[in-house]
Amino acid sequence: MSKVGVMVMGPAGAGKTTFCNSVMSYMESQGRTGNLVNLDPAATAQEYAFTIDIRDLISLDDVEEELKLGPNGGLIYCFEFLLKNLDWLDEQIGDYPDDYLIFDCPGQIELYSHIPAMPMLVKHIQQQLSFNLCCTYLIEAPFMVDRAKFFSGALEAMSTMIFMELPHLNILSKMDLVKDTMSRREIRKFLCPNPQLMEDDEVKDDQKDLILSNPKYRKLSKAIAQLVDDFGMVQFLPLDCSAKDQNASVRTIVTCIDNITQWDENQEPKEPEEPEEPESDDD
């Protein structure tokens, strides 16, 4: 059996927990087993309960109250505390060696791009617990309205790809918030972004002031877009967890994760079911 883990990352408010619950729902509909691992010491469970919860070890509320730290400093302290108590995590994960673990991570992006706590945790789960890990990084689809903001989000996604050194999927979440204002043709341009988006002549007049907001930073925004394009590995998958056919986008993402982590290849073959013999007329 395979030991697979998905690290769900992204800034606060990007829809990470909603995505985790959507993956759980989809897997449940497919007869698969998944477990939610909460790594956010400030989060509470929503649709699905946490199988493993960092708050059983340490919570942000306690840290802020006892150490008089703010939310950012408190989150860093919590992760440093977790790294000093990895035996607790090993014991918790040890009960689920063959299941699909979905790690719901906090929304402090410094943990993914500046502070080595998250990469150290990832390496421990890979090397000591022998999990095949994949990273999903979410940014909000409404960023597409302000293209400078979109490329800033893409740059942070690229930074996380480099910093985490994991197989990586970038996801545009909350697609339901833009599908009524942007055509599919417009949306497709953002799935494989290139610097031309900053100069797109087909932009609606009422959006141009948003796209080129803060004109004095326009050269910087274009340079960021060019940097993302030069890296050549930043692409996005759309995610809409509100639609009736939400399984379509979730299914595509889960399939990509399965391919990356080789989940299918490591499943034990199942014996084919014997067909039932028809009852004899003599009976």
Side-chain angles (χ1 to χ4, degrees):
M1 297 288 284
S2 61
K3 300 168 70 174
V4 168
V6 183
M7 311 296 294
V8 181
M9 302 178 179
K16 297 183 295 297
T17 300
T18 300
F19 171 62
C20 289
N21 282 277
S22 295
V23 172
M24 288 287 291
S25 176
Y26 171 74
M27 294 179 67
E28 190 176 76
S29 71
Q30 301 299 305
R32 294 172 56 175
T33 302
N35 293 281
L36 272 180
V37 180
N38 178 38
L39 293 181
D40 186 349
T44 55
Q46 295 184 4
E47 183 179 353
Y48 289 87
F50 298 132
T51 303
I52 302 171
D53 191 350
I54 189 176
R55 293 176 306 161
D56 293 336
L57 175 69
I58 188 170
S59 74
L60 182 61
D61 289 340
D62 292 341
V63 169
E64 290 180 340
E65 181 179 349
E66 295 180 15
L67 301 180
K68 307 303 179 184
L69 293 173
N72 291 336
L75 278 170
I76 294 173
Y77 180 89
C78 289
F79 262 79
E80 290 176 344
F81 188 83
L82 175 62
L83 290 175
K84 293 178 182 178
N85 294 273
L86 287 174
D87 54 336
W88 173 86
L89 185 64
D90 294 350
E91 182 179 353
Q92 296 292 314
I93 294 180
D95 294 334
Y96 305 94
D98 299 323
D99 286 341
Y100 201 105
L101 300 185
I102 304 168
F103 295 86
D104 190 359
C105 300
Q108 187 181 13
I109 59 177
E110 291 87 351
L111 292 170
Y112 316 136
S113 57
H114 293 77
I115 300 167
M118 189 66 77
M120 292 171 64
L121 176 63
V122 162
K123 288 181 180 178
H124 177 82
I125 296 173
Q126 285 180 307
Q127 297 173 4
Q128 302 301 319
L129 303 180
S130 302
F131 270 77
N132 294 330
L133 294 181
C134 170
C135 173
T136 59
Y137 190 91
L138 280 66
I139 69 171
E140 298 178 55
F143 280 14
M144 293 188 292
V145 176
D146 185 341
R147 300 188 179 190
K149 182 183 291 186
F150 170 79
F151 276 106
S152 294
L155 180 64
E156 183 57 41
M158 184 183 86
S159 177
T160 301
M161 294 175 72
I162 297 171
F163 196 61
M164 297 304 300
E165 297 182 333
L166 277 179
H168 193 102
L169 291 176
N170 294 310
I171 297 171
L172 277 174
S173 63
K174 303 183 181 180
M175 292 299 297
D176 56 299
L177 300 181
V178 299
K179 64 183 181 181
D180 293 333
T181 58
M182 299 182 69
S183 67
R184 292 186 178 182
R185 183 169 177 267
E186 288 177 303
I187 291 173
R188 282 197 295 269
K189 295 178 182 179
F190 290 88
L191 301 183
C192 298
N194 65 76
Q196 184 61 33
L197 284 170
M198 296 298 298
E199 300 289 350
D200 197 339
D201 292 330
E202 297 181 10
V203 177
K204 297 177 181 178
D205 290 337
D206 61 351
Q207 293 181 349
K208 285 186 177 180
D209 59 330
L210 294 173
I211 294 164
L212 302 180
S213 57
N214 296 320
K216 65 179 180 179
Y217 297 125
R218 184 179 179 186
K219 288 185 178 180
L220 176 59
S221 298
K222 291 174 66 176
I224 291 174
Q226 187 62 55
L227 178 62
V228 171
D229 185 63
D230 290 344
F231 187 68
M233 294 183 66
V234 181
Q235 299 181 4
F236 291 90
L237 293 173
L239 173 66
D240 183 358
C241 294
S242 69
K244 294 181 180 179
D245 60 343
Q246 61 171 289
N247 277 357
S249 60
V250 175
R251 178 173 60 249
T252 298
I253 293 171
V254 171
T255 300
C256 289
I257 294 172
D258 290 345
N259 291 336
I260 290 172
T261 58
Q262 300 179 324
W263 181 84
D264 290 315
E265 297 179 15
N266 292 312
Q267 297 308 296
E268 293 181 353
K270 296 181 179 179
E271 293 290 335
E273 297 182 1
E274 293 289 339
E276 295 183 4
E277 295 185 3
E279 296 182 2
S280 173
D281 294 336
D282 296 337
D283 295 341

